[in-house]
């Protein structure tokens, strides 16, 4: 089945530690995205990538980093510089220049202890 | 900048009731408009979309019409079911250098009681 796989589903981290969230897609989509979801605030864009080896900051990129070495993969690192990292993180993908339909993974819930 | 405003939740209805979730937007030009749905513990799924003024998107008994004059895209369903319980997000989209930049509303939690 084609889709987007995020892992881990749940992750706990101590303050001061970096953590990497995995996102893999087998939809042959060009563009990939990371969103953060907080209660009552909707989704906010962290980073996005249109093609391999290129990515752009979204609205809340501070404290996060990404890489896009392969078309299928777009991992997100939450660094210790992120002041409030506890959240639900969603990865998505889309065809290049498609009319706005994003396909989402099931999300990763990060809790900082 | 672009923004989307949804009616505040939570919304609680009885089965077979009529549903309206209001959504208005602020944007320059004519963005595409979407409703996404998020079931408990899952990611978002596209429910319906409209890409130009007066278009009506529909899926699974849900409908929404792109109203340019009122900058609205209200979601409606004539008879809701318990299985419709979820969080609903209104969003607008712009294509930007090959990527789709979605701007989401804050979400409306819907609970349907049997």
């Amino acid at each position: 089945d084609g889709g987007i796989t995020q892992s881990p589903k749940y992750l706990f981290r101590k303050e001061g530690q970096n953590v990497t969230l995995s996102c893999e897609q087998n939809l042959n989509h060009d563009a990939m995205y990371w969103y953060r979801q907080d209660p009552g605030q909707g989704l906010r864009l962290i980073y996005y990538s249109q093609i391999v080896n290129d990515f752009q900051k979204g609205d809340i990129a501070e404290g996060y980093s990404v890489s896009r070495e392969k078309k299928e993969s777009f991992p997100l690192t939450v660094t210790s510089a992120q002041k409030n990292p506890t959240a639900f993180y969603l990865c998505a993908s889309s065809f290049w220049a498609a009319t706005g339909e994003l396909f989402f993974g099931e999300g990763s819930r990060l809790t900082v202890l | 900048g672009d923004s989307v405003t949804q009616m505040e939740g939570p919304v609680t209805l009885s089965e077979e009731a009529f549903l309206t979730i209001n959504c208005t937007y602020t944007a320059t030009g004519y963005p595409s408009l979407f409703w996404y749905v998020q079931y408990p513990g899952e990611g978002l799924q596209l429910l319906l979309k409209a890409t130009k003024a007066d278009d009506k998107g529909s899926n699974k008994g849900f409908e929404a019409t792109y109203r340019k004059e009122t900058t609205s895209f209200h979601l409606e369903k004539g008879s809701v079911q318990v299985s419709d319980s979820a969080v609903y997000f209104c969003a607008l989209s712009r294509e930007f250098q090959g990527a789709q930049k979605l701007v989401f509303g804050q979400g409306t939690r819907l609970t349907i009681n049997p």
Side-chain angles (χ1 to χ4, degrees):
Chain A
D1 285 336
I4 299 177
T5 302
Q6 289 186 239
S7 62
K9 196 172 178 77
Y10 299 95
L11 185 62
F12 297 88
R13 184 194 100 175
K14 293 182 180 179
E15 281 193 27
Q17 289 180 334
N18 292 353
V19 61
T20 297
L21 308 180
S22 170
C23 178
E24 303 278 334
Q25 55 99 356
N26 60 3
L27 299 168
N28 199 32
H29 285 171
D30 301 286
M32 297 187 74
Y33 314 78
W34 275 105
Y35 284 88
R36 171 181 170 137
Q37 185 178 16
D38 295 286
Q41 291 193 42
L43 280 72
R44 293 180 289 169
L45 182 64
I46 304 172
Y47 268 98
Y48 64 99
S49 166
Q50 301 101 307
I51 57 172
V52 175
N53 293 322
D54 190 31
F55 47 83
Q56 307 295 328
K57 292 182 179 180
D59 300 318
I60 55 165
E62 185 175 352
Y64 300 98
S65 66
V66 293
S67 63
R68 186 88 186 275
E69 297 177 1
K70 298 186 301 181
K71 186 175 183 179
E72 302 80 18
S73 178
F74 191 42
L76 173 75
T77 297
V78 185
T79 75
S80 56
Q82 170 50 236
K83 298 303 179 190
N84 185 21
T86 295
F88 191 52
Y89 291 89
L90 287 161
C91 179
S93 67
S94 71
F95 285 111
W96 183 86
T99 53
E101 180 174 356
L102 268 60
F103 292 79
F104 283 84
E106 294 194 342
S108 294
R109 185 167 298 282
L110 172 63
T111 302
V112 174
L113 304 173
Chain B
D2 297 344
S3 67
V4 175
T5 302
Q6 293 180 231
M7 69 185 284
E8 297 235 356
V11 174
T12 302
L13 296 172
S14 298
E15 208 166 18
E16 299 184 1
F18 184 86
L19 168 71
T20 299
I21 301 178
N22 290 338
C23 171
T24 58
Y25 67 91
T26 301
T28 54
Y30 306 107
S32 296
L33 300 175
F34 305 84
W35 278 99
Y36 279 82
V37 59
Q38 184 178 32
Y39 297 102
E42 298 183 8
L44 278 67
Q45 304 172 25
L46 178 66
L47 180 59
L48 53 84
K49 68 179 182 182
T51 57
K52 62 182 187 296
D54 299 324
D55 267 3
K56 178 185 283 189
S58 61
N59 186 26
K60 300 181 180 180
F62 290 91
E63 293 183 339
T65 301
Y66 190 143
R67 302 285 189 198
K68 185 180 63 146
E69 63 277 11
T70 55
T71 62
S72 65
F73 193 55
H74 305 321
L75 182 68
E76 296 182 335
K77 187 175 184 182
S79 177
V80 292
Q81 305 300 314
V82 172
S83 58
D84 294 327
S85 298
V87 181
Y88 292 81
F89 292 92
C90 185
L92 64 82
S93 171
R94 294 196 180 281
E95 187 272 332
F96 181 74
Q97 296 179 350
Q100 298 296 322
K101 297 194 75 175
L102 280 176
V103 176
F104 288 88
Q106 75 271 32
T108 302
R109 182 175 299 277
L110 174 66
T111 301
I112 307 300
N113 294 321

